[in-house]
Amino acid sequence: MAGAPARYLVFFQYFGTRYSGVMETKSDQALVGVQNYLEKAAEQLKPSAPIKFHISSRTDSGVHALANAAHLDIQRGPGRAPFTGPQLLQGLNHHLKPEPIRTYIYRLLLGCAHRSQIPVFEQDLCWAPPGGPLDIPAMRAAAQLLLGTHDFSTFRSPRPEAAAQSPVRTLQLLQLQRGHGLLGQHHLHRGLEFWEVKVKSKSFLYRQVRRMVGALVAVGQGRLAPGQLQALLELRDPRALPPHATAPPQGLFLHSVEYGQRDLAPPSAPGEEELCGLSQKEFIT
């Protein structure tokens, strides 16, 4: 027979930009509450009954917290001792660990009047937009408008299933820089130039990178002004982006995935399923 549930007082902090607030929301909303994430992490501790966080202070959408508090009751299976404070702290923090940072590079080839001018070994490894040179300064100015935390609904796939994700993402880097051919300098005598769009974030929406690159190229071609790109972002509507403004897949490369030291650390002890508890001075980060 299972013992009585153990009650814990936990303190937690969060950066609220990507949340609808601290309180639980329905899973079909664009933004969910911090409580949703806490309870999802608690499920990984394998309690014998669902865990509910009773949160002391409400915060609105976008509001941050240095030390909010909640209590929760944890029922364990027969013969299993209650979690200690350090076990609960380590267990919840393990399942709330931050996402790794992903960097993508999109390769552009400029100077091709026709697809036949693309070097043979670059045919499916870059995109050569038609229509002549690109206005690189205008593209760089437009890229600055997309940096930071935004609702990127306009730049996600218009497919209905894509709407299930929160559209809020934070771009840490969106940079246009000179690139090079993958097989050396064979392109130089033809007047061809490689450029790379480098973008970095913890997570991306489906087709977000390709749609952003396509929009930046449209700016470089003079079909969109940087201010129009800003307006499209603010519309938050994937149907607002013209169909031609999605870059083809062949130029896109996953460049790197960066993990923090905490993500790479091995489990501190065997029996990690026993993890879980917080003292009053310990925060979930």
Side-chain angles (χ1 to χ4, degrees), residues 184-239:
Q185 306 301 311
H186 60 278
H187 62 283
L188 291 180
H189 68 282
R190 303 184 186 182
L192 304 181
E193 293 183 2
F194 284 93
W195 287 81
E196 295 177 349
V197 180
K198 188 175 184 179
V199 57
K200 180 183 294 188
S201 177
K202 288 184 177 180
S203 61
F204 295 94
L205 299 169
Y206 182 53
R207 293 197 176 171
Q208 179 184 350
V209 176
R210 287 172 54 197
R211 286 166 69 85
M212 290 191 304
V213 171
L216 291 177
V217 167
V219 170
Q221 293 172 329
R223 293 187 288 119
L224 281 178
Q228 290 176 295
L229 187 65
Q230 176 75 44
L232 285 171
L233 176 67
E234 293 172 357
L235 281 175
R236 302 177 182 179
D237 183 356
R239 296 167 299 178

Side-chain angles (χ1 to χ4, degrees), residues 9-252:
L9 173 66
V10 300
F11 294 82
F12 56 99
Q13 56 186 196
Y14 49 87
F15 186 62
T17 304
R18 292 181 59 185
Y19 302 104
S20 68
V22 69
M23 304 305 294
E24 181 181 20
T25 60
K26 295 180 179 179
S27 59
D28 60 352
Q29 290 189 204
L31 292 179
V32 298
V34 173
Q35 184 177 355
N36 297 69
Y37 285 88
L38 293 172
E39 292 178 357
K40 184 177 180 180
E43 290 175 5
Q44 307 304 312
L45 305 174
K46 301 180 181 177
S48 59
I51 296 174
K52 186 77 173 176
F53 278 72
H54 301 274
I55 297 173
S56 64
S57 299
R58 291 176 176 265
T59 56
D60 293 332
S61 178
V63 176
H64 319 306
L66 295 177
N68 206 336
H71 76 267
L72 60 151
D73 298 322
I74 301 179
Q75 176 79 56
R76 306 204 68 199
R80 308 191 77 180
F83 291 116
T84 66
Q87 284 176 331
L88 181 58
L89 171 66
Q90 187 176 357
L92 289 176
N93 276 346
H94 175 76
H95 295 292
L96 289 168
K97 61 188 179 182
E99 298 170 340
I101 297 173
R102 296 167 176 84
T103 301
Y104 282 88
I105 285 180
Y106 196 98
R107 302 180 68 243
L108 299 170
L109 177 58
L110 308 186
C112 290
H114 188 269
R115 180 173 172 80
S116 62
Q117 293 180 304
I118 301 175
V120 172
F121 294 104
E122 296 283 0
Q123 289 281 336
D124 295 314
L125 300 174
C126 64
W127 177 32
L134 298 181
D135 185 342
I136 300 297
M139 294 174 67
R140 284 174 168 162
Q144 292 299 307
L145 301 174
L146 299 178
L147 281 175
T149 301
H150 303 283
D151 181 324
F152 281 98
S153 292
T154 298
F155 295 95
R156 70 179 173 190
S157 169
R159 286 164 45 174
E161 57 267 32
Q165 288 182 290
S166 165
V168 178
R169 295 291 186 270
T170 300
L171 292 189
Q172 301 178 2
L173 179 72
L174 182 56
Q175 183 181 76
L176 188 63
Q177 60 191 19
R178 285 190 177 273
H180 54 81
L182 295 181
L183 293 180
Q185 306 301 311
H186 60 278
H187 62 283
L188 291 180
H189 68 282
R190 303 184 186 182
L192 304 181
E193 293 183 2
F194 284 93
W195 287 81
E196 295 177 349
V197 180
K198 188 175 184 179
V199 57
K200 180 183 294 188
S201 177
K202 288 184 177 180
S203 61
F204 295 94
L205 299 169
Y206 182 53
R207 293 197 176 171
Q208 179 184 350
V209 176
R210 287 172 54 197
R211 286 166 69 85
M212 290 191 304
V213 171
L216 291 177
V217 167
V219 170
Q221 293 172 329
R223 293 187 288 119
L224 281 178
Q228 290 176 295
L229 187 65
Q230 176 75 44
L232 285 171
L233 176 67
E234 293 172 357
L235 281 175
R236 302 177 182 179
D237 183 356
R239 296 167 299 178
L241 197 68
H244 63 260
T246 298
Q250 60 263 30
L252 184 61

